[in-house]
Amino acid sequence: TAAVDLSCVWHNLEYMVCTWRPGENASSDTSYTLFYWFDGLKTHKKCNNYSMHQGIFGCIFNFSFPKVTNTYPAISILIRDDSEEIRPVCASKNPTTLVKPATPTRVTLSKINDKIYVEWSKSDTFPEKCLFYEVEYHNGDLDSAQIIKVIFHYLQLTDFFFPPINSTSIPSVDPNSKYIFKVRAKPKPECYSSELYSDWSEEKSIGEKTDSTFYFVLIITIPLIVTVSTIILLVYLKRLKILILPPIPDPREILKRMFGEQNEDSQVSKKL
């Protein structure tokens, strides 16, 4: 009857989502209750935001610590029912292994010369230098994608340092191709022990994909236009030649016609 497959994820250092399945022998109307506690709380707290989807129970509760901290206390989770028929389950979890950053937002693309610049928003909940990012991009004409790992960095101009920004650039891009980008975040191991990535950001694209149909039509049309134009030009030149240089009559044909007419006249005279 006890809850099984308990799994918790600490989203963006702001709230915890725990899910579990009902025990094999639990009745269909079993109502589980989740309690949690960690060192620093005076008493345990009850989760009140429950849900169930496709037979899986879930509960969401606020869970956060100060941004600047070197240690995170373990969190104890208890799942039980009000009746004595359901066996309670208690688990202790290291919250740093459950961290999942929020999806990067405000992803912007810009192209300058032969480079594409990618920028995205900075996290408001994670300490600085505790996240790294992966930028995946691919040419719209190709199926294979490339991934760039981006570490938080500083921009330096002369003797002044500017605040860290989340950005990277892709050099030597094809100006006639469309590029598609998406970004995700992951906690750095020196800050958290989690292996969870954020969800990928919404895909953004820049540039125009070459239309192969256009080139196919172009390849067929150009030779056809050249052929038709050549035929028209030849016909026109032939007519122009006749107007400028009319054909010279053959003297033999003239003499032949003249003598033929005289013979006809003499034959008519003899009959008369």
Side-chain angles (χ1 to χ4, degrees):
T1 59
V4 294
D5 296 338
L6 173 63
S7 175
C8 296
V9 177
W10 190 12
H11 288 267
N12 206 37
L13 305 181
E14 294 178 309
Y15 61 93
M16 188 84 73
V17 178
C18 292
T19 59
W20 64 91
R21 292 190 301 108
E24 182 178 355
N25 295 326
S27 62
S28 58
D29 59 348
T30 299
S31 178
Y32 293 96
T33 305
L34 184 147
F35 299 89
Y36 64 95
W37 178 88
F38 57 88
D39 189 15
L41 288 180
K42 296 181 179 180
T43 182
H44 62 269
K45 290 190 176 183
K46 179 181 178 180
C47 182
N48 295 311
N49 189 6
Y50 291 93
S51 65
M52 188 174 71
H53 179 66
Q54 296 181 348
I56 298 177
F57 288 87
C59 197
I60 304 174
F61 55 93
N62 293 330
F63 185 77
S64 62
F65 295 103
K67 287 186 178 181
V68 182
T69 181
N70 294 324
T71 59
Y72 291 89
I75 178 173
S76 298
I77 296 175
L78 171 67
I79 299 177
R80 64 178 181 83
D81 184 76
D82 292 337
S83 68
E84 296 181 355
E85 297 178 357
I86 300 301
R87 181 181 176 183
V89 170
C90 187
S92 178
K93 295 183 177 294
N94 177 1
T96 68
T97 64
L98 312 176
V99 176
K100 181 178 181 178
T103 304
T105 59
R106 297 196 296 275
V107 178
T108 59
L109 306 176
S110 59
K111 183 187 290 186
I112 302 177
N113 298 327
D114 61 342
K115 287 186 178 181
I116 294 178
Y117 293 87
V118 189
E119 295 187 13
W120 57 93
S121 60
K122 187 180 72 169
S123 172
D124 294 328
T125 59
F126 280 81
E128 291 185 358
K129 302 181 181 180
C130 277
L131 290 177
F132 74 85
Y133 298 86
E134 287 186 352
V135 177
E136 180 182 296
Y137 73 98
H138 68 275
N139 187 319
D141 298 325
L142 303 175
D143 294 330
S144 59
Q146 300 185 54
I147 294 181
I148 298 176
K149 185 175 180 180
V150 182
I151 307 296
F152 226 71
H153 60 282
Y154 284 87
L155 289 181
Q156 183 178 11
L157 181 64
T158 63
D159 295 331
F160 298 96
F161 283 91
F162 288 84
I165 62 171
N166 296 332
S167 67
T168 188
S169 62
I170 314 298
S172 304
V173 297
D174 183 356
N176 298 319
S177 294
K178 177 181 179 180
Y179 288 86
I180 301 172
F181 291 82
K182 56 184 179 180
V183 185
R184 68 177 180 179
K186 184 184 179 184
K188 287 185 179 180
E190 55 265 33
C191 298
Y192 306 97
S193 303
S194 175
E195 294 295 328
L196 300 176
Y197 284 90
S198 74
D199 295 331
W200 285 106
S201 67
E202 181 182 355
E203 289 187 344
K204 293 292 184 71
S205 62
I206 190 171
E208 295 296 332
K209 182 179 179 180
T210 304
D211 190 353
S212 58
T213 304
F214 171 76
Y215 282 100
F216 177 76
V217 173
L218 199 62
I219 291 172
I220 298 299
T221 304
I222 289 179
L224 184 61
I225 293 175
V226 172
T227 303
V228 173
S229 300
T230 302
I231 294 173
I232 295 174
L233 183 61
L234 290 175
V235 173
Y236 176 75
L237 290 177
K238 186 176 181 180
R239 291 183 178 180
L240 186 63
K241 181 180 178 182
I242 293 174
L243 293 175
I244 297 176
L245 299 173
I248 300 174
D250 189 350
R252 291 176 297 180
E253 294 294 332
I254 297 175
L255 293 174
K256 187 176 180 180
R257 286 198 298 269
M258 289 176 62
F259 285 113
E261 291 175 358
Q262 290 178 359
N263 291 335
E264 290 177 1
D265 293 340
S266 61
Q267 290 177 3
V268 171
S269 299
K270 288 179 181 180
K271 291 180 180 181
L272 294 174

